[in-house]
Amino acid sequence: MAAGSVNPFNLSDSDEELELRPIGTENGTPGPGIAPLQLRVEPESATLVLPGGGGISPGVEAAPVSPAAAGGGAEARLSVDAIAAQLLRDQYILTALELHTELLESGRELPRLRDYFSNPGNFERQSWTPPAAKEQGGAAGQLNRAGSISTLDSLDFARYSDDGHREADERVAVLEFELRKAKETIQALRANLTQAAESEGPSRERRSFRFSPEMEEPVRPLEKRALNFLVNEYLLRNNYKLTSITFSDENDDQDFELWDDVGLNTPKPPSLLHQYRTGGSCPPSPRDTADVAVGVEASELPLNSITQESLHKMERTQQVEIVQELEYQIGLLIGEKHSLVEQIKLLQSDIQSLKKSISMEEVEGSNLRSDQSSMVAPLENWCCADSRGPPEELMPAGAPFRTKGRLDRDPLTTAPAPSLCQPIQPHGKLKTQKAPSQGSAQFEQPKRNLSPAFLQALLSFCQLSADSRLGSEVSHIADSEESLLLMLGRCLPHIVPNVLLAKREELIPLILCTACLHPEPKERDQLLHILFNLIKRPDDEQRQMILTGCVAFARHVGPTRVEAELLPQCWEQINHKYLERRLLVAESCGALAPYLPKEIRSSLVLSMLKQMLTEDKAHLVREAVVKSLGVIMGYIDDADKYSQGFELMLLSLGDPSERVVSATHQVFIPAFAAWTTELGVLQSQLLSSLLLRVEGLLKESDRGPDEHKLHLLLSGLQSLISPLFALVLQSAPFSGQVELQDSTPPIEVTRFPRPASMLQDVATIVGSRERLAVLLQLYDRQLEHEGTMGWGSLLWVVNQLLPHLIGIVGQINVNSAACVHEFSRLFWRLCRTFGKIFTNTKVKPQFQEILRLSEESVDATDGNDVLTKGTVPIYATGVLTCYNQEEDRKLLVAFLEDVMMSLSLSHAPLDSLKAAFMELGANPAYHELLLTVLWYGVVHTSALVRCTAARMFEVILRGMSEALIDKRVAPALITLCSDPEFSVRISTIPAFGTIMETVTQKELLERVKMQLASFLEDPQYQDQHSLHMEIIRTFGRVGPNAEPRFRDEFVLPHLHKLALGNNGQTAEAKRVGIATQLFEAYSALSCCFISEDVLVNHFLPGLRCLRVDMEQFSPEYEDILSSMIKECEQKVENRNSQEPQGSMSIAASLVSEDAKTKFLSKVGQLTTSGAMLANVFQRKK
């Protein structure tokens, strides 16, 4: 890897220390046994040179030479096998492994190293002793790991450390090598299959390259795999990364990173581009040819012919190797020559451009000529000679090639080495070298007779650092824009890791500018990778800054580079372990949507966001995904994606997180509705589909619909009302007559419901508030005077949407407060959005036509009539309350009065009326109105209506102010208590009980207590069985929540009297009914704290009286009551034993609480059924 491609997140202090360490050294000192072997690398020829020996070409293994050839002062050539043997002998295992890897990569495997590293037994020892240490009697040392080359795919964040302990890394290196050898074995086993595939058809040499469609044969498996590999290679080389990813996914049975996966014994053909240019007739490479020999019978040859032939063959082999070596050297020199010629041409063109620019300046002729000559002369001299110092200073030994202690360039595949006339090219990326600036400083040379060597040696004491990466960058200042960008591309990866995390966002502008303008795709890709990995866990502000930079990058480079360079960075981090990184991906998909190609926007990006919405567990990420999906919906133009958008809308609405659902209403649904409006399917498909789903949900279960799903669907319908109204306005007959005028009245603040976001504001949808004001004025005029003729979108609302909704409302369960509330909000928003004229002329008439209020409209035998369904509460709370003027309130009061009278006179269930009173009672603004309706019932002539009014007081008392209860409710109830009909008086008891449960005003409580006492103590009520049943039921309901004093002094004593009186009841049915109600009341009150006196004097005696009734009529309850009595007696005994004075101790309270817990676990949820009670209190046997 070149220095410019260093990953900034995998550097440690130990890497640079190992970078300049020679082979066979440790801590800068020569290792034992290897000191005489000094290796250096010559950049010009990439040849290993030994003292006294010649260079070793990377393309040819040197044969052993005789001692005579090595003498005479000539440099001896040492074979690679000898070097390997020496390394293995001295136990430099990792250095030998590095050499073995290099040889494998260059295609020259050494049998000695292959056999050694293929044997696992060589690596079972954990320590070793150098020969020198053995001689000195030293202890065995640990095998230290040398720095090895790393690639971007194999970098490990925790690989390098500064503590010096690398035993684990050594074992990992060995295991990686063993894994590589295992893969090679697997590939070798597939060679037979490859050979069989090749033998199916004629050999390549016999084929004709003339193409004939009639003679074309079907593609074979081997040919298909080879073509797939070449196509994928072409896509990667030309930066079609996303297409390459898709192509690899479609061919998941093939490894595109390894040609051996196609066929081990099949040579790799040239690239597609090369084959296209040569027309498929590519001559075979000399290195791919195989030697072919023919033989004759031994009897036909002379006796010495075999020996001579073998000698000639050896000579020919040596000559071939020499020729290949010379050809390799010639190729390097030719490449260097071409590079120099191109550089000279570029420099000459720069000189000409500078001459022209200077000639255009208005300066004096003499100054112009002097400046021009002073500029051109150094450039021409600089092009052909080295003017900056000796080669050792310009090109440090191995600087461009050496990385982490090993060679990083393959001599067979790398471009020619840079010449000395191009000093600033540590990564080989600089394409054009600009001339030095005109203001190059001129220095006066001293008039001394010192030799250059002496001056150079003298200046060496100045301690300049030019032999390191940073020293090379510092010593050569960029002199053009392109060289500046290249320098930034090289330096930024080293700068970023050393900047504080809290301040790294300051580097974003520098990274973006460099990534935008850098000429090399790989460098740009690395810089964008740094941008997305700049901060480990970026916060909101840092993510916004990165997103801003990405948008600026996209605006600058265009959609093609955004797709090729930015999107892959998002794809890589879609499953990152950090929440903040996934948030960055989700947000960037939305921010980059306007700058992507439309095909990518509606396919790849949409798929990415859908995957994150369904798989990501973090609700913050899903919230960002939903918002980005909304942005995508604002730019998508593929009509086929409607079904996918509808599915995403339902998926987002059903998300368990409220934040995600809120984002769906604020961003996604408005954007999706705007798209469906353009497609013309908002009414016909989107709204109709949701209505059908709501209707199906109401019918799917007899126990009632899933209230959560119903809420999601109805909330989605509410969010679509604003886009629907905008469609009605923009498709109206008057839409072409809109003219903005200053005299147009402004829109009232309360005209529309408060939108969830600006995207749901009708003014935002139509364009502006001024345009909306004009449209509303024309809309009201059209409805009031001209009607809906020719207005298709509004006719759909009137003739299809409203009847469908009203029909669904008639199917809901009125006992479900959630269903009533959701439909009420839906109709309220619909009426407020479409306006008062629309509500009065289109909505109310359809409800009134269905209701038809009259005394004969309700059949007592039919419980499914419209007045007993959800139509009544929805019309009252969703339609009649959307406007709050006096006439609207009068209409609501009259409707409720009519419904109350109709239901009462027909003896129909009151559930629909109760649902309407509960929904209205939740809003304190309607309390006065409801009391007005109930007062109408209090003074009504029919006792049935008065009974209904008395029972409705119980519904609205919760949440009502005590002052209103004291002034309006209590007098009405007292009035009803004096009603001549006993049924009316009895109907007030639940309301009195609710007052005792919710009110704290003492005077009001005393008045209620006196009224209840009159019911219990007045002789005229002694035989009123229904009154006693209602009082006992009310005491059981409100007793646990009422004031303790009221419970101890009033409720429990009267329950005792009722239980005692029930023992003398002669009517068996009445006695059993009272006993059952008493049992439920005592079961509820037993969970309360009861004082000892009340427990002894009233609670226990009441239970004993109740046990007498149960023994006679319900023996199955006897054990349950006996258990209750026993627990109460035990409680009293514990109190007496712990605190005779009457105050409870801590232990007694604990026993009491334990008894309560046990009893509660037995009781559960009580009902009036005796059989159910028996099951609840059944003892374990």
XYZ file of all heavy atoms in Angstrom, residues 1066-1107:
324
model
N -88.405 -13.414 54.567
C -89.166 -14.642 54.311
C -89.140 -15.033 52.840
O -89.225 -16.223 52.522
C -90.625 -14.437 54.766
O -91.166 -13.302 54.079
C -90.690 -14.196 56.271
N -89.013 -14.054 51.975
C -88.983 -14.366 50.544
C -87.587 -14.870 50.171
O -86.585 -14.161 50.327
C -89.343 -13.137 49.719
N -87.557 -16.096 49.704
C -86.256 -16.721 49.445
C -85.496 -16.014 48.333
O -84.282 -15.795 48.433
C -86.471 -18.187 49.073
C -85.174 -18.937 48.789
C -85.432 -20.399 48.469
O -86.543 -20.886 48.735
O -84.507 -21.042 47.930
N -86.182 -15.624 47.264
C -85.497 -14.983 46.135
C -84.883 -13.658 46.555
O -83.740 -13.340 46.203
C -86.484 -14.787 44.982
N -85.653 -12.857 47.326
C -85.111 -11.578 47.780
C -83.938 -11.792 48.725
O -82.945 -11.056 48.678
C -86.198 -10.768 48.463
C -87.317 -10.318 47.531
C -88.344 -9.486 48.284
C -89.460 -9.009 47.343
N -90.456 -8.181 48.039
N -84.053 -12.820 49.613
C -82.984 -13.082 50.583
C -81.688 -13.479 49.871
O -80.601 -13.027 50.243
C -83.437 -14.177 51.547
C -82.483 -14.414 52.692
C -83.053 -15.428 53.657
N -82.154 -15.683 54.766
C -82.374 -16.572 55.738
N -83.513 -17.270 55.739
N -81.500 -16.755 56.699
N -81.780 -14.329 48.831
C -80.598 -14.757 48.089
C -79.976 -13.579 47.324
O -78.757 -13.407 47.281
C -80.964 -15.892 47.120
C -79.789 -16.209 46.191
C -81.370 -17.124 47.890
N -80.869 -12.714 46.749
C -80.343 -11.562 46.021
C -79.591 -10.604 46.918
O -78.496 -10.125 46.575
N -80.199 -10.297 48.098
C -79.512 -9.407 49.039
C -78.212 -10.041 49.526
O -77.181 -9.365 49.651
C -80.442 -9.086 50.226
C -81.637 -8.254 49.761
C -79.673 -8.357 51.323
C -81.294 -6.870 49.316
N -78.231 -11.338 49.816
C -77.019 -12.022 50.308
C -75.900 -11.972 49.272
O -74.725 -11.767 49.606
C -77.362 -13.465 50.676
N -76.236 -12.160 48.007
C -75.216 -12.117 46.953
C -74.587 -10.731 46.846
O -73.356 -10.593 46.741
C -75.838 -12.511 45.611
O -76.415 -13.817 45.720
C -74.785 -12.514 44.521
N -75.423 -9.658 46.883
C -74.887 -8.308 46.826
C -74.048 -7.976 48.048
O -73.010 -7.314 47.952
C -76.036 -7.298 46.693
C -76.769 -7.375 45.360
C -75.863 -7.031 44.183
O -74.942 -6.232 44.295
N -76.141 -7.657 43.056
N -74.495 -8.464 49.240
C -73.712 -8.245 50.462
C -72.353 -8.940 50.371
O -71.342 -8.412 50.844
C -74.492 -8.750 51.681
C -75.654 -7.876 52.153
C -76.455 -8.601 53.219
C -75.128 -6.549 52.706
N -72.338 -10.127 49.795
C -71.070 -10.852 49.676
C -70.081 -10.060 48.831
O -68.904 -9.940 49.173
C -71.339 -12.222 49.064
C -70.124 -13.095 49.003
C -69.712 -13.837 50.098
C -69.363 -13.172 47.846
C -68.590 -14.627 50.047
C -68.239 -13.952 47.779
C -67.852 -14.690 48.892
N -70.529 -9.508 47.710
C -69.633 -8.713 46.868
C -69.191 -7.442 47.580
O -68.030 -7.027 47.467
C -70.343 -8.365 45.558
C -70.540 -9.553 44.645
C -70.934 -9.123 43.243
O -70.934 -7.909 42.981
O -71.242 -9.994 42.421
N -70.114 -6.800 48.296
C -69.753 -5.573 49.003
C -68.717 -5.845 50.089
O -67.728 -5.120 50.226
C -70.990 -4.936 49.606
N -68.950 -6.902 50.919
C -67.973 -7.229 51.965
C -66.639 -7.656 51.368
O -65.572 -7.385 51.937
C -68.544 -8.339 52.864
C -69.402 -7.811 53.985
C -70.764 -8.027 53.997
C -68.838 -7.092 55.033
C -71.565 -7.551 55.023
C -69.624 -6.613 56.071
C -70.993 -6.831 56.058
O -71.766 -6.347 57.081
N -66.656 -8.344 50.236
C -65.394 -8.750 49.598
C -64.589 -7.532 49.179
O -63.362 -7.502 49.330
C -65.695 -9.625 48.373
O -66.381 -10.793 48.757
N -65.255 -6.488 48.640
C -64.536 -5.280 48.231
C -64.043 -4.483 49.423
O -62.917 -3.957 49.422
C -65.440 -4.413 47.355
N -64.883 -4.389 50.501
C -64.512 -3.587 51.670
C -63.478 -4.277 52.547
O -62.814 -3.615 53.346
C -65.758 -3.271 52.496
C -66.761 -2.325 51.822
C -68.065 -2.292 52.616
C -66.181 -0.926 51.719
N -63.320 -5.593 52.433
C -62.348 -6.300 53.270
C -60.916 -5.901 52.928
O -60.004 -6.146 53.717
C -62.524 -7.808 53.108
O -62.254 -8.184 51.772
N -60.713 -5.306 51.781
C -59.370 -4.876 51.378
C -58.998 -3.529 51.969
O -57.853 -3.085 51.790
C -59.290 -4.808 49.851
S -59.654 -6.370 49.037
N -59.939 -2.844 52.626
C -59.674 -1.526 53.183
C -59.185 -1.649 54.627
O -59.371 -2.677 55.297
C -60.948 -0.669 53.168
S -61.686 -0.517 51.539
N -58.539 -0.578 55.081
C -58.141 -0.541 56.487
C -59.359 -0.189 57.333
O -60.023 0.825 57.108
C -57.041 0.488 56.697
C -56.629 0.616 58.132
C -55.745 -0.289 58.699
C -57.146 1.635 58.921
C -55.375 -0.171 60.024
C -56.780 1.749 60.253
C -55.882 0.843 60.809
N -59.649 -1.035 58.286
C -60.822 -0.862 59.143
C -60.330 -0.823 60.585
O -59.524 -1.656 61.010
C -61.822 -2.010 58.948
C -62.242 -2.094 57.470
C -63.054 -1.815 59.820
C -63.095 -3.288 57.138
N -60.838 0.162 61.324
C -60.437 0.287 62.729
C -60.928 -0.916 63.528
O -61.866 -1.623 63.131
C -60.987 1.584 63.315
O -62.409 1.558 63.309
N -60.300 -1.122 64.682
C -60.616 -2.313 65.486
C -62.055 -2.287 65.999
O -62.736 -3.320 65.981
C -59.633 -2.393 66.659
C -59.833 -3.636 67.507
C -58.838 -3.704 68.642
O -57.930 -2.853 68.674
O -58.988 -4.599 69.494
N -62.511 -1.121 66.397
C -63.881 -1.047 66.929
C -64.896 -1.389 65.846
O -65.841 -2.158 66.080
C -64.149 0.359 67.465
C -63.294 0.678 68.691
O -62.833 -0.293 69.345
O -63.067 1.871 68.963
N -64.720 -0.804 64.681
C -65.664 -1.085 63.594
C -65.540 -2.531 63.154
O -66.544 -3.192 62.832
C -65.394 -0.137 62.412
C -66.308 -0.458 61.227
C -65.591 1.307 62.831
N -64.325 -3.059 63.178
C -64.139 -4.453 62.782
C -64.866 -5.404 63.732
O -65.507 -6.373 63.293
C -62.633 -4.760 62.751
C -62.208 -6.089 62.134
C -62.548 -6.118 60.665
C -60.714 -6.318 62.341
N -64.796 -5.089 65.024
C -65.433 -5.974 66.024
C -66.930 -5.750 66.086
O -67.724 -6.704 66.194
C -64.770 -5.744 67.398
C -65.512 -6.520 68.478
C -63.314 -6.153 67.355
N -67.350 -4.502 66.005
C -68.762 -4.189 66.244
C -69.637 -4.302 64.998
O -70.852 -4.543 65.131
C -68.893 -2.770 66.794
C -68.207 -2.625 68.143
O -68.144 -3.585 68.929
N -67.658 -1.432 68.416
N -69.069 -4.159 63.786
C -69.916 -4.136 62.596
C -69.454 -5.107 61.511
O -70.290 -5.808 60.939
C -69.958 -2.716 62.006
C -70.539 -1.706 62.945
N -71.858 -1.691 63.320
C -69.956 -0.657 63.600
C -72.084 -0.695 64.163
N -70.935 -0.046 64.349
N -68.139 -5.119 61.214
C -67.693 -5.923 60.083
C -67.839 -7.417 60.374
O -68.449 -8.154 59.577
C -66.237 -5.585 59.746
C -65.795 -6.108 58.407
C -66.127 -5.428 57.245
C -65.057 -7.275 58.292
C -65.734 -5.901 56.000
C -64.667 -7.756 57.066
C -65.010 -7.068 55.913
N -67.300 -7.877 61.521
C -67.406 -9.305 61.850
C -68.847 -9.740 62.094
O -69.274 -10.789 61.575
C -66.537 -9.613 63.066
C -65.063 -9.940 62.777
C -64.292 -10.073 64.066
C -64.964 -11.211 61.957
N -69.651 -8.987 62.821
C -71.068 -9.406 62.969
C -71.801 -9.466 61.629
O -72.630 -10.356 61.411
C -71.655 -8.319 63.863
C -70.501 -7.815 64.642
C -69.345 -7.870 63.717
N -71.505 -8.523 60.738
C -72.144 -8.564 59.424
C -71.745 -9.814 58.647
O -72.582 -10.428 57.972
N -70.470 -10.206 58.728
C -70.038 -11.429 58.051
C -70.699 -12.662 58.647
O -71.068 -13.601 57.911
C -68.511 -11.563 58.139
C -67.678 -10.659 57.220
C -66.196 -10.861 57.498
C -67.977 -10.951 55.761
N -70.865 -12.687 59.962
C -71.512 -13.849 60.592
C -72.971 -13.949 60.169
O -73.487 -15.051 59.918
C -71.381 -13.733 62.105
C -69.933 -13.845 62.605
C -69.883 -13.955 64.106
N -68.502 -14.024 64.580
C -67.850 -12.993 65.122
N -68.456 -11.808 65.255
N -66.598 -13.129 65.525
N -73.659 -12.793 60.103
C -75.050 -12.833 59.630
C -75.122 -13.312 58.184
O -76.025 -14.077 57.808
C -75.676 -11.435 59.738
S -75.885 -10.848 61.432
N -74.155 -12.872 57.357
C -74.147 -13.301 55.971
C -73.870 -14.792 55.863
O -74.439 -15.482 55.006
C -73.079 -12.499 55.207
C -72.925 -12.806 53.722
C -74.226 -12.552 52.978
C -71.809 -11.962 53.112
N -73.029 -15.335 56.790
C -72.754 -16.763 56.757
C -73.992 -17.583 57.080
O -74.189 -18.674 56.525
C -71.625 -17.102 57.732
C -71.220 -18.566 57.690
C -69.986 -18.829 58.509
N -70.208 -18.509 59.907
C -69.297 -18.698 60.883
N -68.102 -19.186 60.556
N -69.554 -18.375 62.126
